[in-house]
Amino acid sequence: MAGLVRMSLDSPEEVRPFEDGRGRMELVNREGGGVGRGTFEPGWQWSKHVKPIAGTESCRASHTGYVVSGRMKVVMDDGQEEEFGPGDFMVCPPGHDAWVLGDEACVIIDWQGFADYAKRS
């Protein structure tokens, strides 16, 4: 039986900055996968600030997360769209673009989808 584990996203094992200083992803890793805190600054958009890192036409990660603060709009490749804000639980399958709404950073805790997110080769 495993014992207690304490890790902090305030002291992450890895930090991955987005293009143009528009935010970062902080990651702690466990056997079952990584948990990340994404901080998306005002003006951030996946297609501008992560697409050059990912090299795909849309985000191919599947996200399961919780929005701590700020607002984000997600538009799927098929046209479905949704806005997420503080307190929202989100499930977002692969094939989307997303951007921050307003002038407040959007902070999301994601326990599925950040393991390779914005990872540079």
Side-chain angles (χ1 to χ4, degrees), residues 1-116:
M1 181 160 109
L4 289 172
V5 174
R6 180 180 181 271
M7 303 174 90
S8 175
L9 289 168
D10 291 331
S11 300
E13 295 175 299
E14 186 177 356
V15 177
R16 299 179 191 156
F18 303 143
E19 295 288 300
D20 300 328
R22 292 291 182 171
R24 66 198 168 284
M25 197 279 300
E26 298 155 311
L27 184 70
V28 294
N29 293 297
R30 293 292 302 140
E31 286 178 19
V35 175
R37 175 175 58 195
T39 301
F40 306 89
E41 298 294 339
W44 176 90
Q45 184 170 359
W46 185 90
S47 55
K48 295 178 185 172
H49 301 104
V50 181
K51 180 179 177 176
I53 300 166
T56 57
E57 283 304 307
S58 61
C59 182
R60 304 313 305 160
S62 178
H63 303 285
T64 301
Y66 175 80
V67 181
V68 176
S69 61
R71 298 196 64 76
M72 183 174 286
K73 181 164 188 170
V74 178
V75 178
M76 301 301 299
D77 291 348
D78 68 5
Q80 182 183 7
E81 57 186 68
E82 188 64 68
E83 290 184 18
F84 297 94
D88 287 343
F89 171 76
M90 66 182 286
V91 174
C92 184
H96 57 271
D97 193 5
W99 55 90
V100 172
L101 298 170
D103 59 1
E104 178 185 358
C106 184
V107 177
I108 298 174
I109 305 297
D110 191 331
W111 52 92
Q112 176 195 355
F114 276 175
D116 292 322

